[in-house]
Amino acid sequence: MQTIGILGAGKLGITLAQIATKAGYQVLIASSKDPQAITLTIEVLAPTAQAVTSATAIAKSDVLILAMPLSHYKQVNRQAVKGKIIIDAMNYWWEVDGNRPELLDKTISTSELVQAYFKESIVIKALNHMGYHDLADESLLSDTANPLKKAIAIAGNQRKSINVVKKIIQAFGFDTVVLATLHDGIRLQPGTPAFGANVAEAELRAMIATTIPGEFQLGQHN
């Protein structure tokens, strides 16, 4: 059993905790508050997950998911996550993150900025383009799942780590579409055809490939 740490106990973080526990993972979830502040919520909504401090979630997890506001990622101790696989499920929302020029550059993926900060970790962009309601409803682990399996896109630079994340997402009850580089994660961000997509693999591939026609290839390792 792998242990998944989730930083962020909002709607996305709790949804991912619910799915991950159903998939058989041990889940440690942390917020910016004391664990006791979210314990009751976790006990009710994701009863087999454990509310912990961020330090504990980082130290004891095999894979870490960032489900916090994007503007908060530099609050994470980058030495503590050295060597870990980090799934970046964050998106830039000015209403939450404020006006941050460094996050407005549409020529790079925000996950590249996250990777630049966590220099000694492996950042993989995933679980950001589908809304939390759809993640909860469309996972094949859900009682309400559509028989047509839906797909989640993954963008990263390291094949071995991408394969780890791919297995996790498949265990979550989704197909996967792998993009060739972390930079290509720009195709999964707000304002793109793929953002908000709740579709099967073939349709998601088409959405991604038509974002900037002629300048993109899907990864060969999916």
Side-chain angles (χ1 to χ4, degrees):
M1 178 186 291
Q2 285 182 305
T3 299
I4 294 178
I6 300 174
L7 298 188
K11 293 174 181 177
L12 176 60
I14 290 174
T15 297
L16 293 175
Q18 292 171 331
I19 297 171
T21 54
K22 287 181 181 178
Y25 292 97
Q26 179 178 358
V27 176
L28 305 175
I29 184 168
S31 73
S32 58
K33 303 175 183 178
D34 185 280
Q36 291 184 345
I38 63 169
T39 295
L40 181 59
T41 300
I42 301 305
E43 287 178 350
V44 171
L45 299 178
T48 57
Q50 183 179 357
V52 297
T53 63
S54 295
T56 298
I58 292 169
K60 295 188 175 181
S61 63
D62 298 302
V63 174
L64 189 67
I65 301 177
L66 299 185
M68 61 180 71
L70 179 58
S71 57
H72 293 183
Y73 73 89
K74 288 187 178 181
Q75 297 176 11
V76 179
N77 184 336
R78 56 184 166 186
Q79 288 302 312
V81 300
K82 181 178 178 180
K84 285 188 182 289
I85 296 172
I86 298 174
I87 300 176
D88 176 12
M90 301 180 292
N91 293 297
Y92 172 58
W93 300 111
W94 70 265
E95 299 95 330
V96 175
D97 298 307
N99 185 19
R100 294 180 176 267
E102 74 276 16
L103 302 177
L104 289 170
D105 186 347
K106 296 187 180 300
T107 65
I108 63 173
S109 167
T110 54
S111 292
E112 291 178 279
L113 300 177
V114 177
Q115 178 66 86
Y117 178 73
F118 296 111
K119 295 179 180 179
E120 297 184 89
S121 304
I122 304 97
V123 174
I124 305 293
K125 191 179 192 74
L127 297 166
N128 76 296
H129 68 82
M130 185 182 285
Y132 72 91
H133 276 303
D134 291 332
L135 285 167
D137 292 341
E138 300 294 352
S139 164
L140 290 188
L141 305 179
S142 168
D143 295 335
T144 61
N146 188 312
L148 180 62
K149 198 174 186 181
K150 301 302 176 65
I152 299 293
I154 306 169
N157 294 330
Q158 190 189 85
R159 178 176 299 187
K160 183 177 179 181
S161 298
I162 285 174
N163 286 338
V164 170
V165 175
K166 180 178 176 180
K167 289 178 181 178
I168 290 172
I169 292 176
Q170 289 173 340
F172 282 8
F174 296 96
D175 277 332
T176 56
V177 174
V178 176
L179 284 69
T181 68
L182 190 62
H183 173 73
D184 285 319
I186 196 171
R187 300 167 185 274
L188 308 176
Q189 296 182 171
T192 66
F195 188 76
N198 173 21
V199 296
E201 179 183 347
E203 190 172 351
L204 181 59
R205 286 177 177 274
M207 287 178 170
I208 293 168
T210 57
T211 304
I212 308 176
E215 299 182 10
F216 165 72
Q217 290 185 340
L218 290 170
Q220 299 301 307
H221 42 278
N222 58 330

